[in-house]
Amino acid sequence: EPEVTQTPSHQVTQMGQEVILRCVPISNHLYFYWYRQILGQKVEFLVSFYNNEISEKSEIFDDQFSVERPDGSNFTLKIRSTKLEDSAMYFCASRQREGTDTQYFGPGTRLTVL
Amino acid sequence: AQSVSQHNHHVILSEAASLELGCNYSYGGTVNLFWYVQYPGQHLQLLLKYFSGDPLVKGIKGFEAEFIKSKFSFNLRKPSVQWSDTAEYFCAVKSSGAGSYQLTFGKGTKLSVIP
C-alpha cells in the first residue's frame, strides 16, 4: 500500500538556523498538509497546499514558515530561523481529492532546536 | 473555531476488557469526524471516520464509534481489547464546509493493554 514518507526522521539544529523538512506524498494525491505536535500537546494544523498554492494556514504558520512543491513529488516545509519553541514532531499528510477522502499521514520528523 | 476534547489522558486495561474512549467536539456547523491511531514508533493511521448516514460507524480491527449529534460526541469503542491495541488514539474533526481543509485534533488518549 502506498505511504507518505518523510525525511529525515530526526533533525537537530541550532537556534536561528534554517531547516527544511521533506515529505513525499502518495503519488496520485492532490492535497498536502503539514501538522506539528509539540511534546505532550495535541497535533496542530499548520498549512494545507493545493494546486501549487497555500489553501489554508493556521496562526502558527507565520512568516518564518514556507512550503514548496519543488519537483512534482516532494513537498517541503522550511523554517527560516528556528526557535526553541519550534521543537516538535512535524507530520506531513496527503489526500487524493476533496470530499470524503482520508488524509494519510507520514511517520513524522522530530525536530530538536538547541 | 472548532475544538476537540478527549477526556482520558491514559487508560490502562487488561486484555479482553471493553474499551470506550470519549471524544467531544465544539463546532456550530456540520462536521466530519475521525479516529486515528498511532502505534509506538509508527505514523498516524485512520481507524474510522464519519461523514454522514448511519451514526454508528465500524472501522478496522474491531473498533467502532458512535456519533451522537445532540451530545457533540464521537466515542470510540471496542468490546474486547488486545495487547496489540496498545497505542495512542486521536479524535479529530473537520468542518464539512467547502474550502475547509484542516483537521483539528484532540490531545490524544494513550491506551496501555496489559496481557
Side-chain angles (χ1 to χ4, degrees):
Chain A
E1 186 178 328
E3 290 185 337
V4 177
T5 58
Q6 289 185 244
T7 54
S9 57
H10 191 187
Q11 172 92 47
V12 181
T13 189
Q14 296 289 328
M15 191 169 57
Q17 295 295 304
E18 174 184 287
V19 294
I20 297 176
L21 309 183
R22 291 184 167 78
C23 168
V24 179
I26 296 172
S27 63
N28 63 345
H29 284 194
L30 302 176
Y31 296 82
F32 313 111
Y33 309 83
W34 284 101
Y35 293 81
R36 79 171 186 192
Q37 185 180 27
I38 295 171
L39 189 63
Q41 298 186 25
K42 60 177 69 176
V43 177
E44 302 171 291
F45 169 78
L46 292 178
V47 66
S48 62
F49 191 85
Y50 169 69
N51 200 25
N52 282 319
E53 61 182 26
I54 291 173
S55 44
E56 193 175 18
K57 62 182 181 179
S58 71
E59 292 175 355
I60 302 167
F61 194 87
D62 61 21
D63 291 345
Q64 291 299 311
F65 292 88
S66 62
V67 289
E68 195 177 33
R69 188 155 162 80
D71 56 13
S73 62
N74 290 283
F75 179 52
T76 62
L77 174 70
K78 183 193 291 187
I79 309 175
R80 287 190 184 81
S81 178
T82 50
K83 304 188 283 283
L84 294 176
E85 54 265 37
D86 293 328
S87 294
M89 183 73 96
Y90 288 80
F91 294 102
C92 174
S94 70
R95 185 171 67 153
Q96 188 173 23
R97 56 182 183 265
E98 266 283 4
T100 60
D101 274 4
T102 300
Q103 289 186 30
Y104 291 88
F105 284 79
T109 293
R110 181 169 295 285
L111 176 65
T112 302
V113 182
L114 302 175
Chain B
Q2 54 214 31
S3 65
V4 179
S5 297
Q6 290 183 244
H7 315 299
N8 309 102
H9 178 63
H10 192 184
V11 173
I12 303 172
L13 294 173
S14 298
E15 274 193 315
S18 66
L19 170 72
E20 181 160 0
L21 301 183
C23 172
N24 285 90
Y25 68 93
S26 170
Y27 182 68
T30 308
V31 294
N32 305 138
L33 296 155
F34 307 81
W35 276 98
Y36 281 84
V37 60
Q38 188 174 29
Y39 297 103
Q42 296 189 29
H43 54 88
L44 287 162
Q45 301 173 41
L46 183 72
L47 266 183
L48 47 78
K49 60 185 178 184
Y50 172 80
F51 281 76
S52 64
D54 187 346
L56 183 63
V57 291
K58 295 191 184 300
I60 60 171
K61 305 187 181 186
F63 286 91
E64 64 178 33
E66 185 175 12
F67 171 50
I68 303 179
K69 190 175 180 180
S70 60
K71 295 184 178 180
F72 297 90
S73 70
F74 190 56
N75 292 354
L76 181 71
R77 299 194 292 250
K78 186 170 183 179
S80 174
V81 295
Q82 301 170 306
W83 177 79
S84 57
D85 293 324
T86 295
E88 191 153 16
Y89 292 81
F90 295 90
C91 181
V93 64
K94 173 187 166 299
S95 165
S96 61
S100 176
Y101 303 91
Q102 62 173 288
L103 288 173
T104 299
F105 283 86
K107 283 193 171 183
T109 297
K110 189 167 292 190
L111 172 66
S112 298
V113 180
I114 303 167

